[in-house]
Amino acid sequence: MKMSKVYKANIWGREGCRTSRSSLAKGVSRTITTMDSNRLSLKAGSLPLLLLLVSNLLLCKSAASLPVCPSGAANCQVSLRDLFDRAVILSHYIHNLSSEMFNEFDKRYAQGKGFFTKTINSCHTSSLPTPDDKEQAQQTKHEDLLNLVLTVLRSWNDPLYHLVAEMRGLQEAPDTILSRAIEIEEQNKQLLEGMEKIVGQVQPGVKENEVYSVWSGLPSLQIADEDSRLFAFYNLLHCLRRDSNKIDNYLKLLKCRLIYNNNC
Amino acid sequence: MKENVASTFVFILLLFLNTNLLNGQSPPGKPEIFKCRSPEKETFTCWWKPGTDGGLPTNYTLTYHKEGETEIYECPDYKTGGPNSCYFNKKHTSIWTIYVIVINATNQMGSSASDPRYVDVTYIVEPNPPVNLTLEVKQPKDHKMYLWIKWFPPTLVDSRTGWLILQYEIRLKPEKAAEWETHFAGQQTQFKILSLYPGQKYVVQVRCKPDHGFWSKWGPESSIQIPNDFTMKDAVWIFVAVLSAVIGLIMVWVVALKGYSMVTCILPPVPGPKIKGFDTHLLEKGKSEELLSALGCQDFPPSSDCEDLLVEFLEVIDSEDQQLMPAHSKKYPSQGVKHTHLDLDSDSGQGSCDSPSLLSEKCEEPWANPFPFHTSEGIEKPESPETNGTPTWEPQSTGLEGKMPYFHAGGSKSAWLLPQPPKQHNPRSSYHNISDVCKLAMGTAGGSCTLVDKTDTHALKSSKTTETGGEEKAGEQREVESSHSQTDPDTAWLLPQEETPFISAKLLDYVEIHKINKDGALSLLPKQKETSNQTETPSTPETSKEYAKVSRVMDNHLLVLVQGPCPQNLALFEEPATGAPSSLQQNQAEKDLASFTASPSNCKLQMGGLDYLDPACFKHSFQG
């Protein structure tokens, strides 16, 4: 078919999988809408188109490991595998930092104060529909999972910024905690960028709404009472540790699923 | 009536309770949850420790509620985890959620609850050890052999889907060794070990760790025997090594038997030095004097025994022809002086610049014999010193810095000369020390003797310069001068008591200070005048030996020595003294002299030039 020839040529073309897939997706969506309108009748040309789309997706995945582009090229495409590798490294690193930061803060400021008992149900991202165990995560579609990751990352932009700002004013904040906070803020931005690239590759052309959870804990970070203020920090660090673990776990799942086909 | 019932009821209740207490029964103690673990981040188990059971059968229940929920649940499985445990299966496990868990212990008497434990499964992951550890020794052709270790991840962990990423660590050791060799293997499930000892049996273990969790326990040991790595090449080398060792031994044996002749064949002996007229046998037997006489050398070297060099007394002659002669030493044998060594009679008594320094460096022996300073009538030379006020011994101004003879008298006020007992004074051969000499000299010639005070060097210098009328004296030169001006305000008599006319101010001749004995007598030897004239070269201080002449005594404790016209070494004897020198009284000076103690350093006399006398030489002489 004429259409199929066009698409086939585009898979290995310069543009790579992204544009071919996006155009294929457009074609399929058009087919589907026409299918819907006609409901039960399948157009004759839609089936091969569908087959083509599926094969494209499958082939594109393997072709997604195209060689990494040389640096400096303008419209270069880093392969999905490399993007995921990088994203996983970042998320792993961020969680390590948050964990260490939390432990240090706990050791230094929160001993014997029973803070942990009060942190129940206090994270601003707990309302997000994130999967809570392996089965749920495996049943979530990768696009949704990716979007969830993006949402969580975006929800942390603001709190991280304020965390760093307020921590500078924290009495006798050890350098290690502050430096880690600064590092996490920076790496979070990078991870967000990388995720957006990944989403751009995996879900090209889909423009999702920028959803994120609003954080309203700033006043509690600036409260006069020292103990309450410390608890506000403690709580924020606890939530950060948890969410960074979530993101890390989801990305590793996605990487094994999308790149290695569940055969890590 | 009612009151009676109530009180009896209470009484019975109390009785009942008391009887139970007497039986030892009580409500259970508080249990405690001590561990919660998840092996794969999908299920978890909690274990608790019961408290006292109160003597009654106690029932334990676990209740919990989750973060964000209000409902309280009970433990779904008490069995799987063993006794006193609760196992939460996949259905009941939520990750990233806090569980609030409480144990209730109940018995007949009552119940007690543990403290609530907050558990988040995310942070309690500890997997089981890896399984199916296999070992294999691989020996590729022409390559070193290695140990190939392979294992599998623990069964429950799902690493394929990426839910839990594991990292591994292996350790191995030879069976009998004490320390393990650990290697980190990352995420791979195999490993190669290259550094192996052949012929040993190795044991290997492996463990794993999730990406954010705890290390597992070490897996079961697996052992393997490494075969001996013995190739033909090795055999050849061993054979060669053994052969060469045998040959080496044979050669050594041959050499040992016929060594000398072979050696002389290869390396002819080097001829020894031969000196004409030198009898080596004489040297071996040796009286050195015989040997040296064979060589045509007189009076050289002095014997090693310091005491042998002791000259009992010195004659100071005031005429030019007169010399300081120790010729009278034989008249005073009471001191036990051995003077056989010194053939001083042949010595005309005149000081000689070339005379060897008689003060050996080993002069730490006590000076058994007094070191008399014998002055004869001849030592009267009032005129010339007085007129010019300068001693005949010119100090050397150049090149002598650091070569000034001086005493290191350890900070104590001690003179290196002790007053001689008066009874030994004798017109012809009396024992005097320098101070005596000085005194005598001063008495006759109006000069003064001073022992130069170390601390007063500058003062002395200046005074000296003034006294000597502008003689050039370079910085650190200290001199013992005999200034012949009686009106010198700085001068003081060192030794007082007797004045003998023997010492003349005309200390024009050179005296070699031979020794100073423990009594403080200065043993001087006349210098050879002839040789001194011949060798008088102002420009070579090192080659000639210098002997100091006591020119005068200053300030009761400064002995100003003047160097002879010969070589430029200036003998300067100084003594550290506290207090202003000028204020010393005679008695004080005596005390100073009497209490001389020298620092225990070695004599630094140089054979080539008498730079200074180190009081250490005289240490023993002056003790007490």
Side-chain angles (χ1 to χ4, degrees):
Chain A
M1 289 176 64
K2 191 169 68 171
M3 202 190 261
S4 58
K5 275 188 207 158
V6 168
Y7 286 124
K8 264 189 183 151
N10 275 343
I11 287 168
W12 308 110
R14 230 176 117 230
E15 301 281 337
C17 289
R18 189 171 64 109
T19 47
S20 64
R21 200 185 287 146
S22 57
S23 36
L24 251 183
K26 280 184 199 149
V28 168
S29 59
R30 239 180 285 130
T31 323
I32 288 169
T33 48
T34 52
M35 269 169 67
D36 281 344
S37 58
N38 292 338
R39 275 219 171 167
L40 294 170
S41 62
L42 277 167
K43 283 248 172 103
S46 65
L47 193 57
L49 202 59
L50 271 169
L51 284 170
L52 205 59
L53 177 63
V54 168
S55 63
N56 193 359
L57 280 167
L58 288 169
L59 285 168
C60 255
K61 263 190 229 153
S62 52
S65 51
L66 279 169
V68 181
C69 47
S71 59
N75 49 355
C76 170
Q77 292 270 340
V78 182
S79 76
L80 200 63
R81 170 185 287 209
D82 294 334
L83 282 174
F84 260 110
D85 283 342
R86 184 138 197 276
V88 163
I89 289 167
L90 277 176
S91 64
H92 186 97
Y93 181 49
I94 289 170
H95 177 65
N96 276 343
L97 288 173
S98 330
S99 205
E100 285 166 14
M101 194 163 68
F102 175 82
N103 287 333
E104 246 190 86
F105 190 93
D106 183 29
K107 200 164 66 172
R108 185 137 176 22
Y109 293 104
Q111 285 301 305
K113 291 185 182 171
F115 280 167
F116 197 70
T117 59
K118 295 194 275 180
T119 58
I120 293 201
N121 220 17
S122 58
C123 291
H124 66 288
T125 49
S126 38
S127 56
L128 295 171
T130 51
D132 267 345
D133 61 23
K134 191 178 99 171
E135 279 73 22
Q136 285 182 27
Q138 281 181 328
Q139 282 157 18
T140 313
K141 282 186 268 188
H142 65 268
E143 303 95 346
D144 298 333
L145 210 48
L146 279 169
N147 284 327
L148 271 172
V149 167
L150 274 175
T151 309
V152 174
L153 286 171
R154 284 194 195 111
S155 307
W156 276 98
N157 267 337
D158 198 39
L160 280 173
Y161 171 79
H162 289 290
L163 176 70
V164 169
E166 294 306 317
M167 198 164 254
R168 284 188 210 270
L170 191 64
Q171 196 183 7
E172 299 166 11
D175 266 344
T176 44
I177 296 180
L178 184 60
S179 60
R180 286 200 176 100
I182 294 167
E183 182 73 3
I184 291 171
E185 195 203 347
E186 175 60 34
Q187 298 300 329
N188 200 63
K189 285 194 192 130
Q190 299 231 5
L191 184 56
L192 192 56
E193 231 181 88
M195 287 315 299
E196 277 166 359
K197 279 211 185 102
I198 288 174
V199 168
Q201 276 205 17
V202 172
Q203 282 181 291
V206 176
K207 186 85 188 230
E208 80 279 11
N209 298 327
E210 291 212 355
V211 181
Y212 64 95
S213 276
V214 177
W215 177 68
S216 54
L218 183 58
S220 55
L221 280 184
Q222 294 167 329
I223 221 172
D225 176 35
E226 189 67 20
D227 258 4
S228 306
R229 190 155 172 255
L230 284 175
F231 171 71
F233 275 105
Y234 182 88
N235 192 43
L236 195 58
L237 292 178
H238 157 79
C239 293
L240 178 62
R241 180 170 75 142
R242 170 188 287 181
D243 283 348
S244 58
N245 190 289
K246 264 190 199 174
I247 290 166
D248 186 43
N249 222 150
Y250 296 158
L251 286 178
K252 282 169 179 166
L253 273 176
L254 282 170
K255 178 179 144 182
C256 284
R257 195 198 292 186
L258 296 179
I259 310 292
Y260 298 97
N261 211 12
N262 274 341
N263 204 9
C264 268
Chain B
M1 192 55 193
K2 278 185 186 169
E3 289 168 0
N4 280 343
V5 170
S7 59
T8 44
F9 178 71
V10 166
F11 175 73
I12 289 164
L13 188 66
L14 280 169
L15 196 64
F16 180 67
L17 280 169
N18 284 338
T19 47
N20 278 339
L21 280 166
L22 285 168
N23 288 340
Q25 292 174 342
S26 63
K30 201 156 97 169
E32 185 201 342
I33 302 168
F34 68 92
K35 190 175 174 180
C36 289
R37 278 289 180 267
S38 169
E40 78 289 77
K41 211 172 172 179
E42 296 170 48
T43 68
F44 72 105
T45 313
C46 279
W47 293 269
W48 68 83
K49 213 164 37 182
T52 53
D53 63 353
L56 292 165
T58 315
N59 198 14
Y60 294 95
T61 57
L62 186 144
T63 54
Y64 69 93
H65 73 93
K66 286 182 358 182
E67 179 180 0
E69 292 174 18
T70 47
E71 235 178 281
I72 297 185
Y73 304 94
E74 201 190 324
C75 173
D77 186 337
Y78 288 102
K79 301 271 194 278
T80 313
N84 292 329
S85 73
C86 179
Y87 171 76
F88 295 81
N89 60 12
K90 287 186 190 181
K91 260 187 357 183
H92 293 96
T93 309
S94 306
I95 319 296
W96 306 297
T97 314
I98 295 178
Y99 282 69
V100 186
I101 304 174
V102 169
I103 307 284
N104 298 302
T106 326
N107 69 2
Q108 239 178 9
M109 296 294 306
S111 70
S112 65
S114 69
D115 291 332
R117 179 142 172 143
Y118 295 82
V119 176
D120 190 334
V121 180
T122 323
Y123 311 117
I124 58 164
V125 182
E126 184 189 325
N128 294 325
V131 295
N132 288 354
L133 179 61
T134 55
L135 303 172
E136 196 182 330
V137 177
K138 296 211 171 166
Q139 212 153 13
K141 216 189 215 180
D142 288 340
H143 285 279
K144 203 167 186 269
M145 77 170 168
Y146 62 91
L147 177 65
W148 168 254
I149 306 174
K150 189 140 172 55
W151 62 88
F152 286 90
T155 46
L156 296 171
V157 171
D158 180 7
S159 48
R160 280 185 168 253
T161 60
W163 180 246
L164 205 62
I165 308 282
L166 290 173
Q167 291 176 323
Y168 303 95
E169 196 176 64
I170 61 150
R171 68 177 186 183
L172 71 155
K173 65 165 179 160
E175 197 174 27
K176 305 259 169 51
E179 301 239 332
W180 290 93
E181 189 188 320
T182 314
H183 298 272
F184 184 71
Q187 291 177 24
Q188 54 194 15
T189 53
Q190 69 226 7
F191 205 74
K192 276 187 208 172
I193 301 281
L194 294 166
S195 56
L196 294 166
Y197 294 112
Q200 292 259 16
K201 191 173 181 195
Y202 273 88
V203 292
V204 182
Q205 280 182 314
V206 64
R207 69 174 181 176
C208 61
K209 173 188 180 292
D211 43 0
H212 305 291
F214 301 101
W215 279 105
S216 72
K217 295 197 169 36
W218 286 103
E221 275 187 14
S222 213
S223 60
I224 189 165
Q225 177 78 28
I226 313 290
N228 267 317
D229 196 16
F230 201 72
T231 60
M232 275 308 293
K233 260 200 222 168
D234 290 343
V236 167
W237 282 115
I238 289 169
F239 178 70
V240 166
V242 167
L243 197 64
S244 48
V246 166
I247 291 170
L249 278 170
I250 292 170
M251 282 183 65
V252 165
W253 181 61
V254 165
V255 164
L257 284 180
K258 299 200 181 160
Y260 189 68
S261 53
M262 282 173 64
V263 167
T264 48
C265 205
I266 299 164
L267 303 166
V270 177
K274 283 203 166 91
I275 301 171
K276 237 181 188 176
F278 198 77
D279 191 356
T280 50
H281 293 294
L282 206 59
L283 184 66
E284 284 161 23
K285 281 190 255 170
K287 295 209 179 175
S288 51
E289 51 214 18
E290 292 169 4
L291 182 70
L292 292 170
S293 58
L295 284 171
C297 182
Q298 287 188 354
D299 298 329
F300 183 86
S303 77
S304 55
D305 189 358
C306 281
E307 298 182 4
D308 287 341
L309 296 177
L310 194 62
V311 177
E312 291 175 356
F313 56 86
L314 179 71
E315 244 180 281
V316 178
I317 310 164
D318 63 348
S319 70
E320 285 195 355
D321 295 331
Q322 287 176 330
Q323 298 138 7
L324 297 165
M325 299 199 50
H328 303 273
S329 60
K330 287 170 190 159
K331 290 186 188 175
Y332 302 89
S334 58
Q335 304 290 335
V337 176
K338 292 185 229 169
H339 47 264
T340 54
H341 221 9
L342 293 170
D343 191 6
L344 296 166
D345 288 329
S346 61
D347 187 357
S348 62
Q350 293 176 339
S352 165
C353 300
D354 283 339
S355 297
S357 165
L358 294 173
L359 293 157
S360 76
E361 292 178 24
K362 296 173 193 170
C363 287
E364 286 176 356
E365 300 164 322
W367 295 83
N369 302 309
F371 203 157
F373 184 100
H374 177 74
T375 61
S376 65
E377 303 94 353
I379 308 176
E380 303 201 279
K381 197 197 86 164
E383 280 77 40
S384 40
E386 277 177 319
T387 48
N388 55 20
T390 61
T392 50
W393 294 337
E394 299 291 335
Q396 288 303 316
S397 55
T398 57
L400 289 178
E401 304 201 352
K403 287 188 181 186
M404 312 310 253
Y406 59 94
F407 282 118
H408 307 282
S412 60
K413 285 196 251 185
S414 49
W416 56 274
L417 297 172
L418 292 179
Q420 289 298 315
K423 66 176 184 229
Q424 290 189 346
H425 282 176
N426 184 296
R428 291 289 290 173
S429 54
S430 40
Y431 296 77
H432 298 282
N433 55 13
I434 290 291
S435 47
D436 259 337
V437 175
C438 291
K439 198 178 142 204
L440 292 169
M442 283 180 68
T444 53
S448 63
C449 297
T450 49
L451 285 172
V452 180
D453 185 353
K454 212 175 194 175
T455 60
D456 272 359
T457 49
H458 297 287
L460 181 62
K461 282 181 227 161
S462 56
S463 67
K464 275 191 280 186
T465 47
T466 53
E467 285 165 12
T468 53
E471 272 188 347
E472 294 290 337
K473 287 173 177 77
E476 294 160 24
Q477 290 182 352
R478 306 179 206 109
E479 311 169 343
V480 177
E481 305 176 286
S482 61
S483 80
H484 309 279
S485 126
Q486 274 174 335
T487 58
D488 192 334
D490 292 338
T491 63
W493 289 106
L494 266 180
L495 286 185
Q497 333 266 335
E498 297 110 62
E499 299 193 0
T500 54
F502 299 120
I503 299 173
S504 76
K506 184 189 162 196
L507 300 171
L508 293 176
D509 294 325
Y510 301 103
V511 178
E512 302 170 14
I513 296 172
H514 188 51
K515 262 186 188 181
I516 295 182
N517 66 352
K518 64 180 165 195
D519 294 331
L522 186 70
S523 160
L524 302 171
L525 283 179
K527 275 188 173 178
Q528 296 292 341
K529 237 189 191 167
E530 305 86 10
T531 46
S532 74
N533 290 335
Q534 288 164 4
T535 58
E536 195 169 298
T537 49
S539 60
T540 59
E542 286 83 1
T543 53
S544 52
K545 300 175 182 72
E546 297 315 312
Y547 300 89
K549 280 186 180 173
V550 175
S551 61
R552 69 153 199 270
V553 174
M554 268 173 58
D555 295 338
N556 274 348
H557 59 276
L558 298 171
L559 188 67
V560 180
L561 299 179
V562 181
Q563 202 179 23
C566 301
Q568 296 67 16
N569 289 339
L570 187 65
L572 192 68
F573 296 95
E574 61 178 27
E575 167 201 344
T578 61
S582 54
S583 61
L584 285 174
Q585 301 295 319
Q586 267 190 346
N587 291 336
Q588 182 68 34
E590 282 179 7
K591 277 185 211 161
D592 291 345
L593 295 167
S595 62
F596 172 78
T597 53
S599 62
S601 53
N602 41 1
C603 290
K604 288 186 194 175
L605 292 171
Q606 300 169 5
M607 294 301 285
L610 177 60
D611 293 338
Y612 53 87
L613 279 176
D614 192 325
C617 281
F618 321 105
K619 176 184 180 182
H620 301 282
S621 353
F622 296 111
Q623 291 295 337

